[in-house]
Amino acid sequence: GSTLRGAIVGHYVREENPDDLAFANTERALFLDGTVAFLNAYPYGNGTRMLPRPRSWLTEKDLAADRGAVLYDFAVQINTPLEQPKAPKSAAFCVIAPAEPPEAAWEVLPSPEVALYTPPRQINVHISLEKPNTRTDENAVYRYDAIAEGEVFEGAIVASDDFDLAPLQALLVPGEALFLGGAHTAGYGRALIEDVVLDFGWEEYEPAEAIEGKVVLTLLSDLILRGDAGQVDADLDAALSHLLGFKVTAQQRFQQLQLVGGFNRKWGLPLVQDWALGAGSVYVYADVRIDPEALQTLLAPGIGERRAEGFGRVAVNWHTAPQFKRIALSAPVNLAPRLSSESQTLAARMAQRRLQTELEQGLVTFLSRVRIDRPPQNPQLARVRNVMQQVLLGVQANNLDAVVQHLDNLKAVSYTHLTLPTKRIV
């Protein structure tokens, strides 16, 4: 969200050239005071914006990579048949498909289906040159861990229904490019705007059927909380108690803490890092005083800090089924352009050379570990090398039969000991 907001702010400044965003009421409401929230852009799959996978979803360890495995929600049902629970692999984001109702009343409602996905990443190696076009021992080698080309994401800019988002919609023109992240001069971060829709009454998620006497909260983005003393903490219970007006305590927690930071492009400085509750963390509250619908209304604008940048999004009773059936995504989420025939030929040649180099390096590493107690003599090696050259040059049949036949016809090595006055020859 902060990356999207920064890119849109830069585009707005170039188009409108305002004096100072911080002192203009319209610009301040659009970008700074939290009236408008720039939510995180998540992968686009199955025709919708995917959301972070709840951390309470676990499956059998041996089936963690299985595309058809059953996922059990430990926030809903603790007693499961799993012997070695483990989080599913390649499952950073998810999209839930509601289960089809049974045709007959006596039939059991099938488990909802869920598609999981993790965007692929691409690691590129770069060299930092102290002097242009000069390579010395002082140059540093570093890597960029970037999102792969062709990935499709969907973001959201939300505000109250009575706030006019038309100025932002005018900036996001389909077909134009938007530069995200850093290293633009190195060819990173160019994103294409494909579709912009103004949707009144948009909902980030669809609540499921409530569980009697239980409320399940799931973080849809990272959450930064600050205590009464001003320190950053991870006490979601205190934040909810302050919001509801009475004390509540979570019975179950499936959470992860992580450091979050940022970058101020105006000042060219990084932001102070803070501890945050990670997206996908799940909390279960069993308190009859909590009204799920009222809590959903209270949490709709988000909680915590940096909400204008997409932090603090919380879902109420988003997933309440005891288990889900994992399925594959029905639509592709990578639209990387296809290579031309010339580029495919060049790429195949580069890959062949790379594999040949790795094979030679692996062969050298393997041979360096081999120990030969009685190595053959140089004349024997020379004859074998001569046969190999004839095979490679086509003088003999282009296979290893000639080499094998030569080795089979070798006579046993005989050793003659000659004793001379000054030296011994073996």
Side-chain angles (χ1 to χ4, degrees):
S2 58
T3 301
L4 287 174
R5 186 183 68 162
I8 296 175
V9 167
H11 189 26
Y12 183 86
V13 171
R14 290 190 298 270
E15 293 289 335
E16 304 295 335
N17 193 23
D19 295 333
D20 197 327
L21 293 177
F23 295 98
N25 293 332
T26 302
E27 285 80 0
R28 187 171 183 83
L30 285 174
F31 302 113
L32 299 177
D33 65 1
T35 303
V36 179
F38 295 79
L39 305 191
N40 297 340
Y42 291 143
Y44 179 81
N46 286 6
T48 186
R49 173 175 176 259
M50 305 184 77
L51 295 173
R53 174 189 58 82
R55 299 185 184 274
S56 60
W57 288 0
L58 302 174
T59 186
E60 195 66 58
K61 180 178 179 180
D62 296 338
L63 302 177
D66 190 352
R67 296 300 177 89
V70 176
L71 307 180
Y72 294 89
D73 195 340
F74 277 58
V76 178
Q77 181 180 354
I78 302 178
N79 298 325
T80 64
L82 300 181
E83 296 182 358
Q84 293 180 302
K86 185 176 179 61
K89 295 182 179 180
S90 301
F93 299 93
C94 70
V95 54
I96 301 175
E100 295 293 337
E103 297 181 358
W106 60 83
E107 294 182 359
V108 179
L109 183 67
S111 301
E113 296 178 337
V114 57
L116 306 178
Y117 181 71
T118 297
R121 309 184 73 87
Q122 180 175 327
I123 299 179
N124 296 327
V125 180
H126 294 264
I127 300 177
S128 176
L129 301 179
E130 296 294 335
K131 298 180 180 179
N133 301 323
T134 303
R135 299 181 182 273
T136 64
D137 296 337
E138 299 178 355
N139 297 332
V141 178
Y142 61 96
R143 298 182 299 176
Y144 276 148
D145 184 3
I147 299 174
E149 178 187 9
E151 293 299 302
V152 181
F153 293 84
E154 180 178 314
I157 304 174
V158 297
S160 59
D161 291 339
D162 57 351
F163 188 85
D164 187 12
L165 290 175
L168 295 179
Q169 186 181 12
L171 289 176
L172 302 174
V173 180
E176 293 188 356
L178 198 66
F179 288 89
L180 307 176
H184 298 164
T185 57
Y188 291 88
R190 188 176 186 272
L192 181 67
I193 302 174
E194 294 187 355
D195 192 14
V196 180
V197 178
L198 190 60
D199 187 2
F200 291 93
W202 177 82
E203 297 291 342
E204 190 171 9
Y205 66 97
E206 183 178 353
E209 184 177 354
I211 306 175
E212 185 177 359
K214 182 183 294 187
V215 176
V216 180
L217 301 186
T218 307
L219 302 188
L220 302 182
S221 63
D222 295 338
L223 172 60
I224 303 175
L225 295 174
R226 195 173 295 274
D228 296 335
Q231 80 283 2
V232 174
D233 59 19
D235 192 355
L236 183 60
D237 294 346
L240 287 179
S241 299
H242 178 75
L243 192 65
L244 294 172
F246 54 87
K247 184 175 179 58
V248 293
T249 303
Q251 289 189 344
Q252 293 177 267
R253 293 181 177 87
F254 305 87
Q255 67 180 19
Q256 180 178 356
L257 292 176
Q258 59 187 26
L259 282 173
V260 296
F263 191 82
N264 190 311
R265 297 177 65 179
K266 180 177 178 59
W267 296 101
L269 295 172
L271 301 180
V272 177
Q273 289 185 329
D274 293 318
W275 284 105
L277 296 170
S281 298
V282 179
Y283 302 84
V284 181
Y285 292 89
D287 196 322
V288 295
R289 296 175 295 175
I290 300 178
D291 183 3
E293 295 184 359
L295 182 59
Q296 182 179 352
T297 303
L298 292 174
L299 295 177
I303 59 174
E305 298 187 345
R306 298 175 63 177
R307 283 180 282 177
E309 305 170 48
F311 286 80
R313 308 296 297 182
V314 184
V316 180
N317 288 337
W318 169 39
H319 50 94
T320 58
Q323 62 186 43
F324 296 82
K325 179 177 175 54
R326 183 175 180 179
I327 60 174
L329 283 174
S330 60
V333 292
N334 186 294
L335 300 180
R338 296 180 60 86
L339 296 176
S340 62
S341 58
E342 294 81 4
S343 299
Q344 290 180 6
T345 303
L346 179 60
R349 188 182 307 166
M350 295 171 60
Q352 182 68 22
R353 292 180 178 177
R354 176 65 180 271
L355 291 175
Q356 184 176 356
T357 302
E358 292 181 357
L359 177 61
E360 292 176 352
Q361 293 176 350
L363 185 60
V364 171
T365 302
F366 172 75
L367 293 179
S368 63
R369 301 173 183 174
V370 176
R371 178 183 177 184
I372 303 176
D373 295 331
R374 300 181 60 187
Q377 298 183 6
N378 291 338
Q380 293 175 324
L381 294 177
R383 288 195 294 269
V384 175
R385 188 181 297 112
N386 184 32
V387 175
M388 287 295 301
Q389 291 177 351
Q390 293 180 1
V391 171
L392 294 176
L393 295 176
V395 178
Q396 299 190 29
N398 191 12
N399 53 53
L400 296 179
D401 293 340
V403 181
V404 175
Q405 183 179 2
H406 174 77
L407 294 176
D408 292 339
N409 294 334
L410 288 179
K411 297 181 179 179
V413 180
S414 60
Y415 298 90
T416 304
H417 302 271
L418 300 177
T419 304
L420 299 177
T422 57
K423 64 179 62 176
R424 183 185 182 197
I425 300 177
V426 180

